[in-house]
Amino acid sequence: MSGPDPAVAAVRAAVRREVADLPAGRLVVVGCSGGADSLALAAATAFTAPRAGLVARAVVVDHGLQPGSAEVAARAAATCRSLGLAADVVRVRVSLDGEGTEAAARTARLAALEEQAAGGVVLLGHTRDDQAEQVLLGLARGAGARSLAGMPRRRGPFRRPLLGLPRATTEQACRALGLHWWADPANADPAYTRSRVRHRILPVLEAELGPGVAEALARSAEALRADAEALDDLAARAAVDVRTDDGDLDAASLAALPAAVRTRVLRTWLLGLGAPAGSLTRDHVLAVDALVTGWHGQGPLHLPGRVVVRRACGRLTPG
C-alpha cells in the first residue's frame, strides 16, 4: 500500500515536529481562513494531533471586511469539521484606529485566536513564501533587523509549522486530499502592497536572479532572527535600568547604551504607550532617539496612536 502524497506527508511532518514538545492533553488550535495554507495545516493537524495525544480544534476568524465573509468562514469551518476537527467561527471587530486595514485585521485575528486557545498553542499557516514576502516588505520600509528577520517560528502561544515549506506544497496537499480552498481576493488586489510583492516583484526577482529567491530570503530571515533575539534580550535587561519609578526613561542612561539596544528599548516603550506596532516605523523610533542623542530643545513628537513624547528634566516622558 502506497503512502500519502509527498506534499501531504511533508505538511504532516512539519506539524509533527512543531507539536513534539507538547504534553498529552494539550489544546492545539488551528487558525483557519479557508485558504490552501491553513486548510493543509488543518488537515495535517487533524491527522497528527490524535496520534500525539493532543486535543485539536479549528477557529475561523471572520473579520467582516468583505461581502460574504460570513459564508466564507462558515464553509471553512465546515471543511475543518469534515477533517475531524471541532471548529468554531469567531466574528471580530477590526479597529482601524492608528493602523492600516491589514495590520488591524491581523491584530484582531491574533487576539481572538489567543483567547480561543485558552492557554494552549495556536498553529498558523504561514509558509516560506509568506516569509519571503515579509522580508521584502521590511526591506522596502527600510526596517531594522527585527523586521528583516521575518516572522518567528514561535512567539508566545503562536507557532508556524509551515515556514520551511513553499506555498506550492500546501496547494498540492489540498489537491491530493480533495480539499477546495478559498482564494482571498485581497491576495490578488494590487491595491495591497503584499499582493504586489507576491504577484509582481517576487516573480521578477525569480526571473532575473534565478529560482530560489524566496528560499534564500527565508534563510536570510532565519539567520537574522538569532541576532535580533539576542539584541532584544539585551534591550529587555537594559530597559529595567533606564526606566524611572514613574515609567519615564532617563536620557543619560539611554545615551550610554549601544544604538542597537537603545532603539529597541525605545520601541518597546513606545508600544507600551499605545503606538500601534503596524504603524510605528524605524523613522519614528529614530526621531525619538534624537531626543536622547541629538537634543537641542526640539518640541514634542507626535507619533501613531496619538502618542506624544517629549524630553523634560533629563527624561523622556509621554504627553
Side-chain angles (χ1 to χ4, degrees):
M1 184 177 179
S2 62
D5 179 273
V8 173
V11 178
R12 288 176 179 175
V15 172
R16 191 180 306 115
R17 286 192 296 269
E18 201 60 55
V19 302
D21 63 322
L22 298 178
R26 189 74 178 274
L27 174 62
V28 176
V29 170
V30 179
C32 186
S33 67
D37 302 337
S38 61
L39 280 183
L41 177 62
T45 304
F47 178 86
T48 302
R51 291 163 173 78
L54 304 172
V55 178
R57 59 185 286 254
V59 172
V60 183
V61 177
D62 177 11
H63 305 89
L65 294 175
Q66 297 175 348
S69 65
E71 290 77 9
V72 170
R75 285 197 300 272
T79 301
C80 289
R81 295 185 194 108
S82 73
L83 295 167
L85 291 176
D88 296 292
V89 175
V90 176
R91 179 74 179 261
V92 296
R93 178 180 175 274
V94 177
S95 173
L96 301 181
D97 185 23
E99 291 189 289
T101 302
E102 290 177 278
R106 180 174 61 250
T107 297
R109 177 171 63 254
L110 294 182
L113 290 170
E114 183 171 7
E115 181 179 359
Q116 290 294 313
V121 301
V122 179
L123 303 184
L124 302 174
H126 298 107
T127 65
R128 190 171 70 196
D129 297 83
D130 294 307
Q131 187 74 296
E133 292 162 11
Q134 190 73 13
V135 173
L136 283 176
L137 288 168
L139 284 169
R141 291 195 302 267
R146 180 187 296 102
S147 290
L148 297 182
M151 295 175 283
R153 187 173 296 276
R154 294 184 179 185
R155 177 177 287 166
F158 300 104
R159 301 187 178 193
R160 296 178 170 90
L162 309 184
L163 279 183
L165 298 177
R167 186 173 296 125
T169 297
T170 64
E171 293 178 351
Q172 173 55 29
C174 286
R175 282 191 289 268
L177 295 170
L179 299 176
H180 300 284
W181 65 85
W182 172 64
D184 185 349
N187 289 335
D189 187 346
Y192 293 100
T193 306
R194 183 177 291 274
S195 173
R196 297 195 297 274
V197 168
R198 178 174 301 182
H199 296 288
R200 297 180 183 177
I201 298 173
L202 265 173
V204 169
L205 290 176
E206 292 274 351
E208 296 297 327
L209 302 179
V213 170
E215 183 178 2
L217 287 168
R219 282 200 310 269
S220 297
E222 190 70 24
L224 278 169
R225 178 151 298 282
D227 295 347
E229 288 177 350
L231 288 168
D232 286 345
D233 183 59
L234 290 173
R237 299 179 191 180
V240 176
D241 297 327
V242 303
R243 189 180 292 268
T244 66
D245 292 339
D246 52 6
D248 294 343
L249 299 182
D250 180 73
S253 299
L254 277 170
L257 296 174
V261 175
R262 183 175 62 249
T263 53
R264 280 168 165 76
V265 171
L266 291 174
R267 184 177 188 277
T268 300
W269 182 63
L270 294 172
L271 293 175
L273 296 179
S279 303
L280 186 66
T281 67
R282 180 168 173 78
D283 284 344
H284 293 134
V285 176
L286 290 178
V288 177
D289 190 48
L291 296 179
V292 177
T293 61
W295 169 245
H296 50 77
Q298 61 263 44
L301 298 175
H302 297 266
L303 304 171
R306 301 177 183 175
V307 171
V308 179
V309 175
R310 68 181 72 243
R311 175 166 172 162
C313 303
R315 297 180 176 187
L316 297 190
T317 184

